[in-house]
Structures are given as C-alpha cells and as structure tokens.
Amino acid sequence: LWAQAKYRTHRDHSEPATMVEGDGCHRVAAQHRKSLVGRKMAATSPNKRFTAGAQAIVKAGGVLLKIEVHGKNMFYFFGTKGKEPTVVVHVHFGMAGAFAVYKGEEPETTGNT
C-alpha cells in the first residue's frame, strides 16, 4: 500500500477543491488505521524537501504505530513495534487537502509529493 498526500492549488481544476472538515480527517484516519498501522513504511522525499524527515522515520524503525486527529491536524507516530514512538509526522489538511492510498505499484510522484 502507498499513501500519498495531494494538495490541489487554485490552478488545478481537474478536481473541485473542497474544504476538509474535522469529520473528513477522522474518516481518513480511520481508513489509515485499518490499512497502515502496524506496517513498516519506506520513507522517501522525491522532491528532496523532506529528506531529513524521511530519514528520521527510517532510523526510528519505520513502523506506523498510531494515528491521532485533532481538528484538521493528523499526527502519524513512527517507531519500532512494541516500543514508544520516537518520530511524529504532522499533516494539516489546509483548505483543499486530500489523501489517497494505493495498492500495488508506487504512484508517479509530482512536485507536491
């Protein structure tokens, strides 16, 4: 499985931009808990903007241990199975954020990936 955040800009009219509310964040978190928690992740930064964060996830053990939601903020806790999390990734949905989970091949990366 591959999880990828997608942020639409005002120039991207391929999909209508809708504001994500708290219930939408909780829905995404529930789906991610079911399909991703407990799995070891490979973390990279294709656009090189988050290389240190990706490396921290890998060094911590790479296992997604839990997900918490506070309003439009999602927190992904990584570490080693059976231990306390040591790395937290914060995602804010903003005005027009979306998540997609893919099965199979890694999706093509974009400038916002």
Side-chain angles (χ1 to χ4, degrees), residues 4-7 43-55 106-113:
Q4 181 180 63
K6 178 181 179 183
Y7 298 96
T44 62
S45 179
N47 64 11
K48 308 296 185 223
R49 292 175 50 203
F50 305 103
T51 302
Q55 290 172 347
E106 178 178 5
E108 184 178 330
T109 58
T110 66
N112 291 345
T113 303

Side-chain angles (χ1 to χ4, degrees), residues 13-92:
H13 299 289
S14 61
E15 299 177 44
T18 57
M19 184 183 296
V20 178
E21 299 296 338
D23 60 335
C25 297
H26 283 279
R27 193 169 29 259
V28 169
Q31 292 170 343
H32 286 189
R33 285 184 191 108
K34 185 177 179 180
S35 61
L36 301 175
V37 168
R39 299 182 71 152
K40 187 168 185 169
M41 305 290 167
T44 62
S45 179
N47 64 11
K48 308 296 185 223
R49 292 175 50 203
F50 305 103
T51 302
Q55 290 172 347
I57 291 169
V58 173
K59 287 179 183 177
V63 177
L64 179 58
L65 299 172
K66 67 179 180 175
I67 300 169
E68 292 183 5
V69 179
H70 300 279
K72 291 168 64 170
N73 299 283
M74 294 179 58
F75 299 91
Y76 291 74
F77 294 80
F78 290 90
T80 303
K81 205 173 251 185
K83 296 186 178 180
E84 290 294 314
T86 56
V87 173
V88 180
V89 174
H90 170 239
V91 176
H92 186 272

